[in-house]
Amino acid sequence: MSDGDTERDGDRDGFEAGVSSSQGDPRVLIAMNAVLSTLFAWSIVWGLSYLDFLEFGFINVATAAILLFAMTYLVTMA
C-alpha cells in the first residue's frame, strides 16, 4: 500500500462516522416522498386507466399521491 491508500482509508472512516451520526434534513425526505409518491401515483392511475378501471385525470392522480404520501409518512415516522 502506498501513502495515498492510507489517507483514503482515513477519509472513509471519517465520512462513515459523519454519516452515521447525521440525522439528515427532514424537509429533503418530505420532498422526496412527495415527488416519488406523485410519480408512483401517476403510474398506478395510468395503468388502471389503460385497463379501463379508472379514468386518468388530475384529481385521481392527486388523490392517489396524497394517499401514498400519507401512508408512506405514517409507516416511516411511526
Side-chain angles (χ1 to χ4, degrees):
M1 289 189 151
S2 68
D3 290 334
D5 291 337
T6 58
E7 288 178 17
R8 283 189 224 135
D9 291 340
D11 290 342
R12 190 175 337 142
D13 291 338
F15 180 73
E16 289 176 6
V19 171
S20 66
S21 66
S22 175
Q23 295 297 320
D25 190 0
R27 293 175 294 183
V28 173
L29 296 175
I30 291 171
M32 285 177 51
N33 187 6
V35 169
L36 294 174
S37 294
T38 303
L39 291 174
F40 191 51
W42 179 83
S43 64
I44 289 172
V45 172
W46 177 84
L48 290 174
S49 71
Y50 184 77
L51 297 173
D52 289 331
F53 283 118
L54 188 66
E55 181 182 345
F56 185 79
F58 175 76
I59 298 298
N60 289 336
V61 172
T63 302
I66 290 168
L67 290 173
L68 283 169
F69 179 88
M71 186 172 37
T72 306
Y73 185 79
L74 290 174
V75 167
T76 57
M77 296 301 174

